[in-house]
Amino acid sequence: MKEVMYPRRSGRLTQKRVTPISEKPTVRVAIYTRISTNEENQPYSLEAQRKHLVQFVESQPKWLQTHFFTDQITGTTSKRPGLQAALLAAKNGEFDVLLIYRIDR
């Protein structure tokens, strides 16, 4: 927060604390991508998912992508390395939002 000097009617200067718009907090965003089966049979490849999510983050004011997690294995279990890394990073407060391409991801 910056302190700015403003003139008073008496001619003396007084200080006021002003928070400029540019100092608003940034939303830290993590992206998670996953394929359901093998990448050849999937309509939404890992690269396509990532591209769409990165574009979405870039379109949001004050959003910053800080993490990227991916898994190239089936989602039948939650014991996936990328998902576990994302959960640990979330638990440690390393990001604010986790974006996924589709809810079944």
Side-chain angles (χ1 to χ4, degrees):
M1 205 167 354
K2 292 184 178 179
E3 290 190 12
V4 180
M5 302 293 280
Y6 290 96
R8 297 176 104 185
R9 288 186 187 167
S10 65
R12 291 182 18 205
L13 292 177
T14 185
Q15 291 184 347
K16 288 188 179 179
R17 290 183 182 253
V18 177
T19 304
I21 293 173
S22 63
E23 290 184 20
K24 285 188 177 177
T26 299
V27 177
R28 301 166 301 158
V29 180
I31 289 176
Y32 177 71
T33 59
R34 181 182 67 78
I35 57 174
S36 294
T37 56
N38 63 37
E39 200 167 346
E40 295 170 4
N41 297 327
Q42 170 137 301
Y44 303 105
S45 72
L46 292 172
E47 186 56 38
Q49 291 176 48
R50 182 177 186 156
K51 178 183 171 187
H52 288 292
L53 293 171
V54 167
Q55 287 176 344
F56 180 74
V57 170
E58 290 173 350
S59 74
Q60 303 304 305
K62 301 293 180 184
W63 280 31
L64 175 67
Q65 181 190 339
T66 59
H67 292 73
F68 176 73
F69 305 99
T70 192
D71 280 313
Q72 294 187 19
I73 58 177
T74 182
T76 58
T77 177
S78 62
K79 303 254 187 240
R80 300 183 300 261
L83 178 61
Q84 292 304 311
L87 293 173
L88 181 61
K91 185 176 181 179
N92 292 333
E94 295 178 21
F95 58 86
D96 304 309
V97 173
L98 178 64
L99 283 183
I100 54 174
Y101 189 75
R102 289 180 21 190
I103 194 70
D104 65 350
R105 296 281 156 240

XYZ file of all heavy atoms in Angstrom:
861
model
N 0.837 -1.159 0.000
C 0.000 0.000 0.000
C 0.896 1.241 0.000
O 1.863 1.312 0.728
C -0.904 -0.023 1.219
C -2.123 0.743 0.991
S -3.512 0.587 2.133
C -3.171 -0.653 3.277
N 0.529 2.191 -0.833
C 1.319 3.418 -0.942
C 0.707 4.523 -0.097
O -0.487 4.577 0.105
C 1.364 3.895 -2.392
C 2.143 2.990 -3.305
C 2.204 3.599 -4.670
C 3.021 2.723 -5.592
N 3.089 3.279 -6.933
N 1.583 5.410 0.375
C 1.098 6.610 1.048
C 1.239 7.767 0.074
O 2.284 7.962 -0.533
C 1.893 6.868 2.321
C 1.590 5.846 3.388
C 2.169 6.214 4.733
O 2.617 7.367 4.895
O 2.155 5.355 5.608
N 0.158 8.507 -0.081
C 0.128 9.620 -1.022
C -0.124 10.901 -0.244
O -0.928 10.928 0.685
C -0.989 9.406 -2.074
C -1.035 10.545 -3.054
C -0.778 8.083 -2.803
N 0.570 11.972 -0.635
C 0.401 13.274 0.017
C -0.697 14.065 -0.705
O -0.674 14.179 -1.924
C 1.706 14.062 -0.023
C 2.869 13.342 0.643
S 2.657 13.174 2.410
C 3.132 14.783 2.945
N -1.644 14.570 0.064
C -2.718 15.398 -0.467
C -2.703 16.758 0.229
O -2.532 16.834 1.449
C -4.088 14.756 -0.208
C -4.341 13.525 -1.024
C -4.099 12.264 -0.509
C -4.833 13.642 -2.319
C -4.342 11.128 -1.265
C -5.069 12.509 -3.076
C -4.828 11.262 -2.547
O -5.069 10.148 -3.294
N -2.908 17.840 -0.521
C -2.967 19.159 0.132
C -4.301 19.331 0.862
O -5.333 18.881 0.390
C -2.848 20.150 -1.031
C -3.233 19.390 -2.249
C -2.969 17.943 -1.961
N -4.249 19.947 2.033
C -5.465 20.284 2.769
C -5.829 21.724 2.439
O -5.051 22.450 1.848
C -5.221 20.155 4.271
C -4.887 18.743 4.691
C -4.573 18.724 6.128
N -5.744 18.159 6.818
C -5.848 18.074 8.117
N -4.896 18.548 8.884
N -6.901 17.539 8.657
N -6.991 22.143 2.855
C -7.423 23.519 2.599
C -6.496 24.531 3.259
O -6.321 25.631 2.777
C -8.843 23.720 3.112
C -9.847 23.017 2.258
C -11.245 23.342 2.698
N -12.158 22.505 1.927
C -13.408 22.346 2.200
N -13.936 22.951 3.246
N -14.168 21.592 1.459
N -5.880 24.118 4.351
C -4.995 25.030 5.061
C -3.645 25.179 4.352
O -2.842 25.989 4.740
C -4.748 24.514 6.480
O -4.047 23.275 6.414
N -3.438 24.378 3.307
C -2.178 24.448 2.590
C -1.184 23.396 3.065
O -0.186 23.153 2.408
N -1.452 22.790 4.247
C -0.572 21.728 4.738
C -0.852 20.438 3.983
O -1.946 20.210 3.478
C -0.829 21.496 6.223
C -0.367 22.637 7.083
C -0.562 22.395 8.556
N -0.763 20.997 8.901
C -1.397 20.581 9.976
N -1.893 21.453 10.822
N -1.538 19.307 10.242
N 0.139 19.589 3.930
C -0.032 18.298 3.283
C -0.413 17.251 4.325
O 0.064 17.279 5.447
C 1.258 17.860 2.573
C 1.662 18.687 1.363
C 2.992 18.186 0.814
C 0.608 18.642 0.280
N -1.279 16.340 3.931
C -1.650 15.233 4.798
C -1.449 13.931 4.030
O -1.494 13.911 2.807
C -3.111 15.363 5.275
O -3.385 14.332 6.208
C -4.095 15.291 4.134
N -1.210 12.858 4.758
C -0.982 11.569 4.115
C -2.224 10.702 4.195
O -2.916 10.681 5.207
C 0.174 10.823 4.787
C 1.507 11.454 4.540
C 2.617 10.628 5.154
O 2.378 9.738 5.949
N 3.841 10.938 4.788
N -2.498 9.999 3.107
C -3.575 9.020 3.069
C -3.021 7.754 2.440
O -2.206 7.800 1.529
C -4.750 9.512 2.216
C -5.538 10.618 2.844
C -6.768 10.894 2.021
C -7.583 11.990 2.665
N -8.790 12.306 1.881
N -3.459 6.632 2.960
C -3.051 5.354 2.368
C -4.003 5.017 1.225
O -5.208 4.983 1.409
C -3.069 4.247 3.404
C -1.974 4.415 4.419
C -1.984 3.255 5.385
N -0.964 3.470 6.377
C 0.171 2.797 6.424
N 0.403 1.861 5.538
N 1.071 3.044 7.343
N -3.424 4.750 0.075
C -4.200 4.443 -1.120
C -3.681 3.135 -1.703
O -2.476 2.958 -1.857
C -4.060 5.574 -2.169
C -4.809 5.216 -3.433
C -4.553 6.886 -1.598
N -4.592 2.238 -2.028
C -4.207 0.989 -2.682
C -4.519 1.127 -4.168
O -5.683 1.109 -4.554
C -4.980 -0.209 -2.103
O -4.761 -0.258 -0.705
C -4.534 -1.512 -2.745
N -3.494 1.273 -4.986
C -3.740 1.385 -6.427
C -4.353 0.109 -6.989
O -4.123 -0.990 -6.469
C -2.349 1.600 -7.020
C -1.494 2.028 -5.878
C -2.096 1.427 -4.656
N -5.114 0.251 -8.058
C -5.762 -0.900 -8.686
C -4.727 -1.937 -9.097
O -4.949 -3.125 -8.996
C -6.591 -0.442 -9.898
C -7.761 0.412 -9.429
C -7.088 -1.623 -10.709
C -8.547 1.055 -10.527
N -3.561 -1.497 -9.551
C -2.541 -2.416 -10.031
C -1.987 -3.311 -8.924
O -1.333 -4.309 -9.204
C -1.399 -1.642 -10.683
O -0.777 -0.826 -9.713
N -2.250 -2.990 -7.660
C -1.728 -3.783 -6.556
C -2.737 -4.801 -6.030
O -2.517 -5.407 -5.008
C -1.265 -2.868 -5.418
C -0.019 -2.086 -5.764
C 0.495 -1.262 -4.599
O 0.136 -1.562 -3.450
O 1.245 -0.321 -4.849
N -3.847 -4.986 -6.752
C -4.810 -6.000 -6.326
C -4.141 -7.367 -6.407
O -3.294 -7.608 -7.253
C -6.058 -5.962 -7.203
C -6.955 -4.792 -6.902
C -8.244 -4.917 -7.638
C -9.159 -3.778 -7.261
N -10.417 -3.820 -8.001
N -4.518 -8.274 -5.541
C -3.870 -9.583 -5.521
C -4.075 -10.346 -6.828
O -5.096 -10.207 -7.487
C -4.541 -10.309 -4.369
C -5.626 -9.451 -3.877
C -5.548 -8.129 -4.539
N -3.108 -11.156 -7.178
C -3.176 -12.008 -8.346
C -3.708 -13.376 -7.937
O -3.348 -13.893 -6.894
C -1.773 -12.161 -8.964
O -1.301 -10.873 -9.360
C -1.781 -13.077 -10.163
N -4.557 -13.935 -8.770
C -5.083 -15.274 -8.530
C -4.082 -16.266 -9.123
O -3.809 -16.243 -10.324
C -6.473 -15.459 -9.176
C -6.971 -16.883 -8.990
C -7.460 -14.458 -8.604
N -3.544 -17.108 -8.274
C -2.568 -18.120 -8.714
C -3.337 -19.338 -9.198
O -4.132 -19.913 -8.454
C -1.633 -18.491 -7.575
C -0.854 -17.304 -7.020
C -0.208 -17.643 -5.704
N -1.229 -18.051 -4.734
C -0.996 -18.792 -3.663
N 0.218 -19.202 -3.377
N -1.970 -19.118 -2.836
N -3.092 -19.725 -10.442
C -3.872 -20.780 -11.077
C -2.986 -21.964 -11.438
O -1.903 -21.801 -11.988
C -4.559 -20.241 -12.354
C -5.369 -21.327 -13.029
C -5.437 -19.048 -12.023
N -3.478 -23.158 -11.137
C -2.836 -24.393 -11.552
C -3.731 -25.055 -12.598
O -4.959 -24.947 -12.545
C -2.648 -25.333 -10.364
N -3.110 -25.714 -13.559
C -3.834 -26.415 -14.613
C -3.558 -27.903 -14.478
O -2.421 -28.313 -14.246
C -3.384 -25.897 -15.993
C -3.911 -24.469 -16.205
C -3.852 -26.824 -17.113
C -3.442 -23.832 -17.495
N -4.636 -28.699 -14.621
C -4.496 -30.160 -14.571
C -5.111 -30.746 -15.832
O -6.266 -30.461 -16.154
C -5.189 -30.737 -13.335
C -5.146 -32.250 -13.271
C -3.958 -32.918 -12.999
C -6.290 -33.001 -13.498
C -3.909 -34.302 -12.947
C -6.256 -34.393 -13.446
C -5.059 -35.029 -13.176
O -5.009 -36.402 -13.126
N -4.345 -31.560 -16.552
C -4.858 -32.242 -17.735
C -4.680 -33.744 -17.561
O -3.761 -34.196 -16.873
C -4.127 -31.786 -19.019
O -2.731 -32.056 -18.890
C -4.339 -30.299 -19.268
N -5.584 -34.490 -18.206
C -5.525 -35.943 -18.120
C -6.231 -36.544 -19.318
O -7.194 -35.976 -19.827
C -6.213 -36.425 -16.847
C -6.172 -37.934 -16.670
C -6.895 -38.374 -15.424
N -8.334 -38.171 -15.452
C -9.195 -38.948 -16.092
N -8.776 -39.959 -16.808
N -10.480 -38.720 -16.018
N -5.765 -37.686 -19.761
C -6.464 -38.413 -20.812
C -7.232 -39.570 -20.166
O -6.875 -40.045 -19.101
C -5.507 -38.936 -21.906
C -4.416 -39.830 -21.327
C -4.914 -37.781 -22.671
C -3.543 -40.480 -22.362
N -8.302 -39.996 -20.844
C -9.130 -41.074 -20.294
C -8.572 -42.438 -20.647
O -8.521 -43.329 -19.825
C -10.557 -40.965 -20.830
O -11.149 -39.802 -20.340
N -8.199 -42.619 -21.895
C -7.649 -43.907 -22.325
C -6.304 -43.627 -22.956
O -5.474 -42.995 -22.336
C -8.609 -44.595 -23.316
O -8.847 -43.699 -24.407
C -9.932 -44.934 -22.675
N -6.105 -44.049 -24.181
C -4.868 -43.657 -24.840
C -5.125 -42.386 -25.644
O -6.235 -42.107 -26.062
C -4.290 -44.783 -25.709
C -5.209 -45.166 -26.841
O -5.858 -44.326 -27.435
N -5.258 -46.452 -27.128
N -4.118 -41.625 -25.858
C -4.255 -40.305 -26.469
C -4.785 -40.371 -27.895
O -5.444 -39.453 -28.357
C -2.907 -39.586 -26.433
C -3.023 -38.100 -26.585
C -1.746 -37.382 -26.233
O -0.850 -37.963 -25.628
O -1.659 -36.201 -26.582
N -4.558 -41.471 -28.609
C -5.002 -41.594 -29.999
C -6.524 -41.650 -30.114
O -7.100 -41.175 -31.075
C -4.387 -42.843 -30.634
C -2.882 -42.761 -30.745
C -2.272 -44.094 -31.150
O -3.018 -45.058 -31.409
O -1.044 -44.149 -31.199
N -7.193 -42.234 -29.129
C -8.642 -42.390 -29.189
C -9.393 -41.288 -28.465
O -10.603 -41.360 -28.340
C -9.044 -43.746 -28.592
C -8.486 -44.894 -29.386
O -8.357 -44.795 -30.606
N -8.142 -45.970 -28.716
N -8.713 -40.295 -28.010
C -9.338 -39.246 -27.216
C -9.574 -37.992 -28.053
O -8.668 -37.521 -28.709
C -8.443 -38.915 -26.031
C -8.904 -37.698 -25.307
C -8.831 -37.895 -23.840
O -9.457 -38.796 -23.325
N -8.077 -37.084 -23.195
N -10.791 -37.434 -28.008
C -11.046 -36.225 -28.798
C -10.364 -34.975 -28.233
O -10.188 -34.007 -28.954
C -12.567 -36.085 -28.749
C -12.983 -36.817 -27.520
C -11.975 -37.913 -27.320
N -10.008 -34.966 -26.982
C -9.374 -33.800 -26.370
C -7.984 -34.196 -25.896
O -7.817 -34.707 -24.794
C -10.197 -33.281 -25.191
C -11.608 -32.945 -25.582
C -12.654 -33.771 -25.228
C -11.880 -31.822 -26.345
C -13.952 -33.478 -25.611
C -13.167 -31.518 -26.734
C -14.198 -32.353 -26.366
O -15.471 -32.055 -26.754
N -6.991 -33.974 -26.739
C -5.631 -34.354 -26.390
C -5.124 -33.511 -25.230
O -5.672 -32.448 -24.906
C -4.708 -34.175 -27.596
O -4.501 -32.790 -27.846
N -4.068 -33.974 -24.626
C -3.453 -33.223 -23.526
C -3.055 -31.824 -23.986
O -3.272 -30.841 -23.286
C -2.228 -33.976 -22.994
C -2.525 -35.287 -22.279
C -1.221 -36.025 -21.977
C -3.307 -35.042 -21.015
N -2.466 -31.749 -25.179
C -2.023 -30.448 -25.691
C -3.214 -29.523 -25.956
O -3.161 -28.333 -25.659
C -1.197 -30.621 -26.961
C -0.578 -29.336 -27.457
C 0.295 -28.625 -26.424
O 1.013 -29.300 -25.668
O 0.248 -27.375 -26.362
N -4.304 -30.062 -26.488
C -5.500 -29.252 -26.745
C -6.101 -28.757 -25.426
O -6.512 -27.597 -25.318
C -6.530 -30.057 -27.530
N -6.162 -29.628 -24.430
C -6.674 -29.216 -23.119
C -5.836 -28.076 -22.556
O -6.361 -27.059 -22.088
C -6.649 -30.388 -22.144
C -7.626 -31.491 -22.442
C -7.464 -32.645 -21.483
O -7.399 -32.454 -20.272
N -7.382 -33.849 -22.018
N -4.519 -28.271 -22.602
C -3.616 -27.257 -22.044
C -3.775 -25.929 -22.787
O -3.865 -24.873 -22.161
C -2.178 -27.740 -22.111
C -1.208 -26.754 -21.506
C 0.210 -27.273 -21.510
N 1.062 -26.350 -20.788
C 2.184 -26.665 -20.223
N 2.632 -27.896 -20.268
N 2.899 -25.766 -19.592
N -3.842 -25.994 -24.100
C -3.971 -24.774 -24.904
C -5.225 -23.989 -24.511
O -5.173 -22.785 -24.290
C -4.016 -25.139 -26.384
C -4.200 -23.967 -27.304
C -4.310 -24.416 -28.751
C -4.706 -23.243 -29.630
N -4.983 -23.684 -31.008
N -6.356 -24.681 -24.412
C -7.619 -24.010 -24.059
C -7.566 -23.424 -22.648
O -8.035 -22.307 -22.416
C -8.789 -24.975 -24.189
C -9.142 -25.293 -25.601
N -9.682 -24.385 -26.480
C -8.999 -26.439 -26.308
C -9.868 -24.944 -27.649
N -9.455 -26.205 -27.577
N -7.007 -24.166 -21.716
C -6.943 -23.680 -20.338
C -5.991 -22.496 -20.197
O -6.299 -21.532 -19.487
C -6.552 -24.819 -19.397
C -7.610 -25.921 -19.261
C -7.049 -27.104 -18.499
C -8.867 -25.390 -18.604
N -4.849 -22.553 -20.866
C -3.897 -21.434 -20.824
C -4.539 -20.186 -21.420
O -4.420 -19.083 -20.870
C -2.577 -21.794 -21.539
C -1.726 -20.554 -21.788
C -1.797 -22.821 -20.727
N -5.253 -20.338 -22.535
C -5.940 -19.199 -23.148
C -6.980 -18.617 -22.195
O -7.134 -17.396 -22.103
C -6.600 -19.605 -24.463
C -5.626 -19.825 -25.580
C -6.300 -20.323 -26.852
O -7.450 -20.779 -26.838
N -5.580 -20.255 -27.959
N -7.682 -19.478 -21.474
C -8.679 -18.997 -20.525
C -8.009 -18.204 -19.400
O -8.470 -17.119 -19.027
C -9.500 -20.149 -19.946
C -10.536 -19.694 -18.970
C -11.686 -19.065 -19.412
C -10.360 -19.868 -17.610
C -12.642 -18.616 -18.508
C -11.310 -19.432 -16.698
C -12.457 -18.808 -17.156
N -6.928 -18.732 -18.857
C -6.208 -18.031 -17.784
C -5.729 -16.668 -18.281
O -5.881 -15.661 -17.592
C -5.017 -18.873 -17.272
C -4.130 -18.059 -16.341
C -5.511 -20.123 -16.569
N -5.180 -16.635 -19.468
C -4.662 -15.379 -20.021
C -5.767 -14.360 -20.271
O -5.515 -13.164 -20.281
C -3.887 -15.654 -21.311
C -2.582 -16.371 -21.059
C -1.864 -16.800 -22.332
O -2.465 -16.711 -23.436
O -0.707 -17.244 -22.216
N -7.006 -14.814 -20.445
C -8.121 -13.897 -20.692
C -8.687 -13.292 -19.409
O -9.512 -12.388 -19.460
C -9.243 -14.623 -21.448
O -9.937 -15.516 -20.588
N -8.258 -13.805 -18.261
C -8.786 -13.334 -16.982
C -7.850 -12.305 -16.350
O -6.670 -12.586 -16.164
C -8.973 -14.513 -16.013
C -9.870 -15.603 -16.538
C -11.236 -15.100 -16.931
O -11.933 -14.478 -16.135
N -11.627 -15.346 -18.166
N -8.360 -11.125 -16.030
C -7.513 -10.116 -15.386
C -6.974 -10.625 -14.049
O -7.699 -11.252 -13.280
C -8.461 -8.932 -15.160
C -9.623 -9.176 -16.050
C -9.722 -10.661 -16.246
N -5.713 -10.407 -13.827
C -5.039 -10.721 -12.562
C -4.877 -12.212 -12.302
O -4.599 -12.613 -11.191
C -5.745 -10.068 -11.365
C -5.819 -8.567 -11.461
C -4.453 -7.982 -11.370
C -4.516 -6.473 -11.476
N -3.216 -5.873 -11.480
N -5.083 -13.056 -13.308
C -4.850 -14.490 -13.151
C -3.461 -14.805 -13.677
O -3.050 -14.287 -14.709
C -5.878 -15.305 -13.915
C -7.200 -15.442 -13.214
C -7.767 -14.537 -12.376
C -8.114 -16.520 -13.317
N -8.986 -14.993 -11.942
C -9.216 -16.208 -12.512
C -8.106 -17.709 -14.020
C -10.300 -17.060 -12.377
C -9.190 -18.558 -13.898
C -10.280 -18.237 -13.076
N -2.763 -15.670 -12.980
C -1.412 -16.055 -13.363
C -1.260 -17.557 -13.196
O -1.476 -18.091 -12.111
C -0.391 -15.324 -12.475
C 1.068 -15.703 -12.665
C 1.552 -15.252 -14.039
C 1.910 -15.074 -11.569
N -0.884 -18.244 -14.283
C -0.662 -19.688 -14.189
C 0.648 -19.926 -13.467
O 1.685 -19.434 -13.866
C -0.609 -20.335 -15.565
C -0.396 -21.829 -15.460
C -0.089 -22.489 -16.786
O -0.386 -21.955 -17.830
N 0.525 -23.648 -16.715
N 0.584 -20.675 -12.385
C 1.784 -20.932 -11.586
C 2.205 -22.394 -11.600
O 3.354 -22.699 -11.323
C 1.566 -20.501 -10.125
O 0.451 -21.220 -9.589
C 1.314 -19.007 -10.025
N 1.263 -23.301 -11.899
C 1.559 -24.730 -11.879
C 0.886 -25.422 -13.061
O -0.158 -24.965 -13.534
C 1.034 -25.387 -10.594
C 1.738 -24.973 -9.357
N 1.582 -23.733 -8.790
C 2.610 -25.637 -8.568
C 2.321 -23.655 -7.702
N 2.954 -24.798 -7.546
N 1.476 -26.518 -13.486
C 0.865 -27.364 -14.501
C 1.076 -28.816 -14.093
O 2.203 -29.242 -13.827
C 1.497 -27.110 -15.876
C 0.956 -28.021 -16.936
C -0.320 -27.839 -17.440
C 1.705 -29.072 -17.412
C -0.838 -28.698 -18.393
C 1.199 -29.936 -18.370
C -0.072 -29.737 -18.871
N -0.028 -29.567 -14.023
C 0.021 -30.979 -13.659
C -0.638 -31.776 -14.775
O -1.625 -31.327 -15.361
C -0.736 -31.234 -12.349
C -0.263 -30.380 -11.205
C -0.945 -29.235 -10.849
C 0.875 -30.727 -10.491
C -0.520 -28.448 -9.790
C 1.318 -29.948 -9.434
C 0.614 -28.801 -9.082
N -0.118 -32.952 -15.047
C -0.700 -33.791 -16.092
C -0.536 -35.264 -15.754
O 0.394 -35.638 -15.028
C -0.086 -33.485 -17.472
O -0.864 -34.119 -18.478
C 1.355 -33.927 -17.563
N -1.474 -36.052 -16.254
C -1.402 -37.504 -16.118
C -1.748 -38.123 -17.463
O -2.690 -37.686 -18.126
C -2.381 -38.025 -15.060
C -1.863 -37.856 -13.652
O -0.689 -38.213 -13.415
O -2.617 -37.373 -12.800
N -1.000 -39.134 -17.841
C -1.258 -39.846 -19.086
C -1.737 -41.266 -18.803
O -1.488 -42.169 -19.575
C 0.002 -39.856 -19.946
C 0.396 -38.483 -20.419
C 1.542 -38.530 -21.411
O 1.826 -39.554 -22.001
N 2.193 -37.409 -21.590
N -2.422 -41.429 -17.684
C -2.954 -42.739 -17.325
C -4.447 -42.612 -17.041
O -4.964 -41.518 -16.848
C -2.221 -43.343 -16.100
C -2.321 -42.403 -14.893
C -0.776 -43.625 -16.427
C -1.687 -42.963 -13.637
N -5.119 -43.717 -17.000
C -6.561 -43.745 -16.796
C -6.954 -43.134 -15.450
O -6.177 -43.142 -14.505
C -7.094 -45.186 -16.899
O -8.512 -45.144 -16.748
C -6.496 -46.075 -15.840
N -8.170 -42.644 -15.407
C -8.664 -42.009 -14.197
C -9.430 -42.934 -13.282
O -10.180 -42.485 -12.426
N -9.262 -44.240 -13.444
C -10.003 -45.189 -12.605
C -9.529 -45.171 -11.161
O -10.198 -45.712 -10.294
C -9.886 -46.622 -13.163
O -8.511 -46.968 -13.239
C -10.524 -46.729 -14.530
N -8.408 -44.535 -10.922
C -7.880 -44.444 -9.569
C -7.407 -43.022 -9.297
O -7.034 -42.299 -10.218
C -6.706 -45.433 -9.353
O -6.194 -45.246 -8.029
C -5.591 -45.210 -10.354
N -7.427 -42.634 -8.053
C -6.905 -41.309 -7.699
C -5.404 -41.361 -7.402
O -4.803 -40.362 -7.063
C -7.653 -40.747 -6.484
O -7.453 -41.589 -5.372
N -4.814 -42.518 -7.550
C -3.375 -42.690 -7.302
C -2.581 -42.351 -8.564
O -1.770 -43.141 -9.039
C -3.084 -44.127 -6.863
C -3.858 -44.549 -5.649
C -2.981 -44.614 -4.451
C -3.771 -45.221 -3.299
N -3.873 -44.358 -2.184
N -2.852 -41.169 -9.116
C -2.140 -40.704 -10.303
C -1.095 -39.686 -9.865
O -1.389 -38.813 -9.034
C -3.121 -40.076 -11.284
C -4.195 -41.054 -11.738
C -5.112 -40.439 -12.770
N -5.821 -39.261 -12.292
C -7.072 -39.262 -11.845
N -7.746 -40.383 -11.788
N -7.642 -38.150 -11.455
N 0.109 -39.755 -10.394
C 1.188 -38.860 -9.942
C 0.854 -37.375 -10.077
O 1.097 -36.592 -9.163
C 2.378 -39.233 -10.819
C 2.066 -40.567 -11.390
C 0.583 -40.714 -11.384
N 0.291 -36.981 -11.222
C -0.043 -35.577 -11.428
C -1.112 -35.093 -10.468
O -1.034 -33.996 -9.916
N -2.144 -35.905 -10.269
C -3.216 -35.548 -9.339
C -2.688 -35.459 -7.914
O -3.018 -34.518 -7.178
C -4.359 -36.565 -9.416
C -5.512 -36.320 -8.446
C -6.162 -34.965 -8.712
C -6.534 -37.446 -8.538
N -1.873 -36.408 -7.514
C -1.315 -36.380 -6.160
C -0.436 -35.151 -5.950
O -0.462 -34.520 -4.887
C -0.538 -37.668 -5.879
C -1.420 -38.903 -5.782
C -2.520 -38.755 -4.736
O -2.272 -38.357 -3.604
N -3.747 -39.079 -5.122
N 0.340 -34.785 -6.967
C 1.174 -33.578 -6.874
C 0.299 -32.328 -6.761
O 0.597 -31.414 -5.987
C 2.104 -33.478 -8.080
N -0.815 -32.298 -7.511
C -1.741 -31.162 -7.451
C -2.384 -31.059 -6.075
O -2.506 -29.966 -5.501
C -2.813 -31.287 -8.538
N -2.791 -32.193 -5.527
C -3.414 -32.197 -4.196
C -2.430 -31.732 -3.119
O -2.807 -30.967 -2.222
C -3.953 -33.588 -3.864
C -5.135 -34.063 -4.712
C -5.465 -35.514 -4.409
C -6.339 -33.166 -4.508
N -1.188 -32.162 -3.224
C -0.173 -31.738 -2.255
C 0.103 -30.243 -2.373
O 0.182 -29.535 -1.359
C 1.124 -32.537 -2.457
C 2.260 -32.197 -1.497
C 1.855 -32.472 -0.051
C 3.502 -32.982 -1.869
N 0.214 -29.751 -3.602
C 0.455 -28.319 -3.807
C -0.729 -27.496 -3.279
O -0.543 -26.432 -2.689
C 0.706 -28.025 -5.284
N -1.948 -27.992 -3.482
C -3.138 -27.301 -2.969
C -3.113 -27.275 -1.444
O -3.386 -26.242 -0.819
C -4.403 -27.988 -3.467
N -2.766 -28.390 -0.849
C -2.697 -28.477 0.613
C -1.661 -27.500 1.174
O -1.862 -26.917 2.237
C -2.341 -29.903 1.027
C -2.364 -30.140 2.510
C -2.092 -31.597 2.826
C -2.143 -31.837 4.322
N -1.906 -33.249 4.655
N -0.581 -27.298 0.423
C 0.479 -26.372 0.846
C 0.181 -24.925 0.489
O 1.009 -24.045 0.737
C 1.819 -26.797 0.235
C 2.319 -28.102 0.808
O 1.998 -28.452 1.940
N 3.098 -28.835 0.024
N -0.978 -24.663 -0.107
C -1.376 -23.297 -0.437
C -0.587 -22.681 -1.576
O -0.440 -21.467 -1.637
N -0.113 -23.502 -2.500
C 0.729 -22.998 -3.578
C -0.058 -22.350 -4.714
O 0.516 -21.657 -5.545
C 1.597 -24.128 -4.131
C 2.590 -24.655 -3.109
C 3.415 -25.803 -3.630
O 3.533 -25.958 -4.866
O 3.955 -26.559 -2.798
N -1.363 -22.581 -4.784
C -2.198 -21.941 -5.800
C -3.589 -21.733 -5.228
O -3.948 -22.294 -4.203
C -2.222 -22.742 -7.112
C -2.707 -24.160 -6.977
C -4.051 -24.455 -7.026
C -1.803 -25.202 -6.826
C -4.501 -25.763 -6.917
C -2.237 -26.511 -6.718
C -3.591 -26.791 -6.764
N -4.377 -20.903 -5.925
C -5.717 -20.556 -5.462
C -6.821 -21.310 -6.202
O -7.879 -21.582 -5.642
C -5.952 -19.052 -5.630
C -4.903 -18.236 -4.912
O -4.665 -18.487 -3.719
O -4.284 -17.349 -5.546
N -6.585 -21.597 -7.481
C -7.596 -22.224 -8.326
C -6.952 -23.357 -9.115
O -5.853 -23.199 -9.643
C -8.188 -21.192 -9.318
C -9.124 -21.845 -10.319
C -8.899 -20.073 -8.587
N -7.651 -24.493 -9.201
C -7.208 -25.599 -10.049
C -8.190 -25.698 -11.207
O -9.380 -25.937 -11.011
C -7.179 -26.924 -9.277
C -6.776 -28.150 -10.083
C -5.334 -28.024 -10.589
C -6.940 -29.420 -9.270
N -7.693 -25.491 -12.422
C -8.534 -25.564 -13.616
C -8.376 -26.921 -14.282
O -7.262 -27.424 -14.418
C -8.123 -24.497 -14.629
C -8.548 -23.067 -14.386
C -8.104 -22.194 -15.536
C -10.037 -22.954 -14.188
N -9.510 -27.469 -14.716
C -9.510 -28.701 -15.485
C -10.364 -28.450 -16.723
O -11.223 -27.572 -16.734
C -10.065 -29.889 -14.670
C -11.463 -29.541 -14.116
C -9.121 -30.238 -13.544
C -12.135 -30.694 -13.430
N -10.132 -29.225 -17.771
C -10.861 -29.007 -19.030
C -12.311 -29.454 -18.917
O -13.203 -28.759 -19.350
C -10.148 -29.724 -20.175
C -10.731 -29.365 -21.510
C -10.461 -28.129 -22.082
C -11.573 -30.247 -22.184
C -11.006 -27.788 -23.304
C -12.107 -29.902 -23.414
C -11.822 -28.673 -23.964
O -12.374 -28.323 -25.170
N -12.533 -30.601 -18.339
C -13.887 -31.124 -18.147
C -13.970 -31.759 -16.779
O -12.982 -32.271 -16.265
C -14.235 -32.164 -19.218
C -14.431 -31.541 -20.579
C -14.785 -32.521 -21.659
N -15.335 -33.788 -21.210
C -15.522 -34.805 -22.002
N -15.179 -34.739 -23.268
N -16.021 -35.934 -21.548
N -15.150 -31.820 -16.233
C -15.331 -32.346 -14.881
C -14.958 -33.816 -14.796
O -14.496 -34.287 -13.756
C -16.781 -32.103 -14.379
C -16.879 -32.331 -12.875
C -17.750 -33.008 -15.101
C -16.187 -31.310 -12.058
N -15.062 -34.547 -15.890
C -14.683 -35.956 -15.849
C -13.168 -36.142 -15.993
O -12.690 -37.254 -16.090
C -15.427 -36.771 -16.907
C -15.065 -36.383 -18.320
O -14.382 -35.359 -18.531
O -15.492 -37.100 -19.255
N -12.449 -35.083 -15.986
C -10.993 -35.156 -16.052
C -10.484 -35.286 -14.649
O -9.492 -35.059 -14.210
C -10.412 -33.912 -16.718
C -10.822 -33.785 -18.136
C -9.994 -34.685 -19.032
N -10.752 -34.947 -20.220
C -11.118 -36.147 -20.618
N -10.809 -37.222 -19.978
N -11.797 -36.305 -21.706
